[in-house]
């Protein structure tokens, strides 16, 4: 057995049924956030760094298949089996609007400028809602060849990419004309499609393959066979030198982007992994599973066992640094003899 240091993940409970989608916000002045969708009908919002629960969005009457945050982390959108997509206030948890559909909604995505919401599902229709006029009828693009599984915006909201549940390939729509302009061919149905943070790559998972496509010229850049059928994959956003994939074997695999070599394997889930996503800074990544839990893993284990203390709901590294700084300032100002008081408080949860 190799002697790599094993760092316990943050285990986030709260869902009562399988977790089927995860979405990180960009980094905001208040930090970054993680929203999760589950078959239990109640999306959850968490602190993206610590995994601490912030709130639950209550209102759907069926499984929630997709969720996303706008770039300011002020609003959440969800797509549900109750034939609706909902827009929520991320600060209060209130429903801002409910967009009714005629069948199950499987995917939703905010436009980059946050003014539009894109939805798709079993109706094989893409709908674009104007969030400045939520009561206005949406623009409909009725050319999806199958039931919509994933959706994303590209090229400053000029292009839409989407995949179907019942056929392979990723289709690209020109938003101006509403026409499909290109198809990225895959053998199996694409269950995950992610646009990289810098807009350079599209990461797809289909069957037991993870592919990386040039997001501007649409050529296939890399294609790697996985050790099992994978449902989701995500590219590290900061350096782009590694990626993660999760699927049927219940493990979260870490790979080298340039060679495809497996460089890490995280075990802990008790059911298939349905979704994986890197945090916006790349320092950690989250996985959601059939077992109803979310696990947040550190990308590079540090020498100190900080993540393990966090897993016990102790303070995060950032909080500890602040506490230590405040302690030092108080010691300097008050000439406190006992210099271990705050340190002991900080490490009590370790």
């Amino acid at each position: 057995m190799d002697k790599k240091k094993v760092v316990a993940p943050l285990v986030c409970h709260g869902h009562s049924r399988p977790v089927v989608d995860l979405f990180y916000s960009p980094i905001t002045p208040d930090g970054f956030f993680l929203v999760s969708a589950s078959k239990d009908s109640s999306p959850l919002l968490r602190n993206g760094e610590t995994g601490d629960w912030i709130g639950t969005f209550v209102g759907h009457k069926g499984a929630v298949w997709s969720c996303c945050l706008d770039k300011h982390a002020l609003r959440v959108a969800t797509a549900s089996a109750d034939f609706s997509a909902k827009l929520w206030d991320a600060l209060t948890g209130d429903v801002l609007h409910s967009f009714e559909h005629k069948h199950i909604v499987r995917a939703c995505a905010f436009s980059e400028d946050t003014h539009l919401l894109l939805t798709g599902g079993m109706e094989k229709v893409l709908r674009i809602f104007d969030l400045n006029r939520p009561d206005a009828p949406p623009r409909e693009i009725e050319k999806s060849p199958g039931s919509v599984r994933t959706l994303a915006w590209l090229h400053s909201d000029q292009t839409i990419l989407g995949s179907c549940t019942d056929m392979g390939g990723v289709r690209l729509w020109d938003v101006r004309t509403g026409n499909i302009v290109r198809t990225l061919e895959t053998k199996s149905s694409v269950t995950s499609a992610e646009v990289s943070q810098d807009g350079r790559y599209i990461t797809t998972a289909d069957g037991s393959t993870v592919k990386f496509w040039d997001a501007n010229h649409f050529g296939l850049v890399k294609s790697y066979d996985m050790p099992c059928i994978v449902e989701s994959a995500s590219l590290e956003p900061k350096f782009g030198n590694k990626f993660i994939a999760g699927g049927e074997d219940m493990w979260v695999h870490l790979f080298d982007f340039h060679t495809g070599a497996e460089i890490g394997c995280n075990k802990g889930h008790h059911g298939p992994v349905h979704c994986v996503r890197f945090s916006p800074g790349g320092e950690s990544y989250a996985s959601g599973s059939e077992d109803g839990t979310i696990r947040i893993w550190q990308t590079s284990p540090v020498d100190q066992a900080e993540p393990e203390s966090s897993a016990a709901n102790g303070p995060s590294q950032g909080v500890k640094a602040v506490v230590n700084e405040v302690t030092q300032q108080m010691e300097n100002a008050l000439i406190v003899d006992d210099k271990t008081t705050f340190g002991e408080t900080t490490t009590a949860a370790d």
Side-chain angles (χ1 to χ4, degrees):
M1 181 177 177
D2 72 16
K3 297 183 179 179
K4 291 180 182 176
K5 183 174 177 60
V6 177
V7 178
L10 309 179
V11 182
C12 307
H13 299 280
H15 286 297
S16 59
R17 296 202 61 205
V19 179
V20 293
D21 195 24
L22 293 169
F23 190 96
Y24 276 106
S25 76
I27 298 171
T28 74
D30 297 311
F32 61 94
F33 302 91
L34 175 66
V35 64
S36 55
S38 167
K39 292 182 182 179
D40 66 8
S41 80
S42 298
L44 300 180
L45 183 67
R46 299 179 182 276
N47 179 303
E49 181 183 5
T50 66
D52 290 339
W53 174 82
I54 294 173
T56 302
F57 300 99
V58 180
H60 278 300
K61 294 180 172 61
V64 178
W65 287 106
S66 177
C67 57
C68 56
L69 281 148
D70 70 14
K71 68 180 180 182
H72 305 297
L74 296 176
R75 294 176 298 179
V76 169
T78 52
S80 173
D82 66 6
F83 294 18
S84 77
K86 292 186 187 294
L87 181 69
W88 311 79
D89 186 315
L91 302 179
T92 66
D94 296 334
V95 177
L96 298 176
H97 201 84
S98 186
F99 303 100
E100 300 305 317
H101 292 63
K102 297 172 184 174
H103 212 312
I104 293 169
V105 192
R106 285 297 303 262
C108 60
F110 283 107
S111 60
E112 188 179 327
D113 65 10
T114 74
H115 296 314
L116 305 174
L117 180 66
L118 172 66
T119 68
M122 301 289 279
E123 287 182 80
K124 306 180 183 180
V125 176
L126 305 188
R127 289 185 173 89
I128 301 174
F129 295 91
D130 184 345
L131 299 181
N132 295 318
R133 299 184 304 128
D135 292 315
R139 178 185 172 193
E140 296 188 351
I141 302 175
E142 302 189 41
K143 288 182 180 165
S144 177
S147 175
V148 177
R149 174 68 184 260
T150 67
L151 289 172
W153 297 85
L154 261 181
H155 305 148
S156 301
D157 306 331
Q158 297 303 304
T159 306
I160 291 169
L161 66 87
S163 68
C164 299
T165 56
D166 42 9
M167 63 185 66
V170 174
R171 280 147 205 90
L172 297 153
W173 282 265
D174 184 314
V175 173
R176 288 164 293 185
T177 64
N179 295 325
I180 295 174
V181 293
R182 188 181 290 262
T183 300
L184 310 181
E185 299 292 348
T186 65
K187 289 182 180 179
S188 304
S189 170
V190 172
T191 51
S192 171
E194 175 192 74
V195 180
S196 64
Q197 196 166 280
D198 59 9
R200 291 178 60 194
Y201 297 112
I202 301 166
T203 304
T204 62
D206 71 288
S208 58
T209 307
V210 172
K211 294 181 174 68
F212 300 91
W213 311 80
D214 186 309
N216 296 303
H217 304 290
F218 306 116
L220 182 61
V221 179
K222 304 273 187 183
S223 179
Y224 295 122
D225 292 330
M226 296 288 104
C228 70
I229 293 176
V230 295
E231 197 168 332
S232 185
S234 182
L235 181 63
E236 195 278 330
K238 194 170 183 180
F239 303 106
N241 58 355
K242 55 178 74 81
F243 69 95
I244 49 173
E248 287 188 352
D249 67 359
M250 301 186 282
W251 300 345
V252 181
H253 300 270
L254 181 68
F255 299 93
D256 184 287
F257 171 76
H258 301 290
T259 66
E262 183 167 323
I263 54 178
C265 181
N266 299 297
K267 305 175 183 181
H269 281 298
H270 302 290
V273 176
H274 295 309
C275 44
V276 293
R277 283 293 177 262
F278 264 104
S279 66
E283 68 282 345
S284 62
Y285 48 93
S287 54
S289 167
E290 182 76 15
D291 65 17
T293 67
I294 299 164
R295 292 170 188 260
I296 299 176
W297 315 82
Q298 298 303 307
T299 304
S300 300
V302 290
D303 293 333
Q304 302 87 353
E306 301 282 18
E308 295 181 22
S309 66
S310 297
N313 291 327
S316 68
Q317 296 177 40
V319 173
K320 289 186 177 183
V322 172
V323 171
N324 291 338
E325 183 180 347
V326 171
T327 304
Q328 190 63 49
Q329 291 174 353
M330 292 182 68
E331 289 170 354
N332 292 341
L334 302 175
I335 317 177
V336 177
D337 292 327
D338 182 5
K339 297 183 179 181
T340 62
T341 306
F342 277 75
E344 289 172 357
T345 303
T346 308
T347 57
D350 288 2

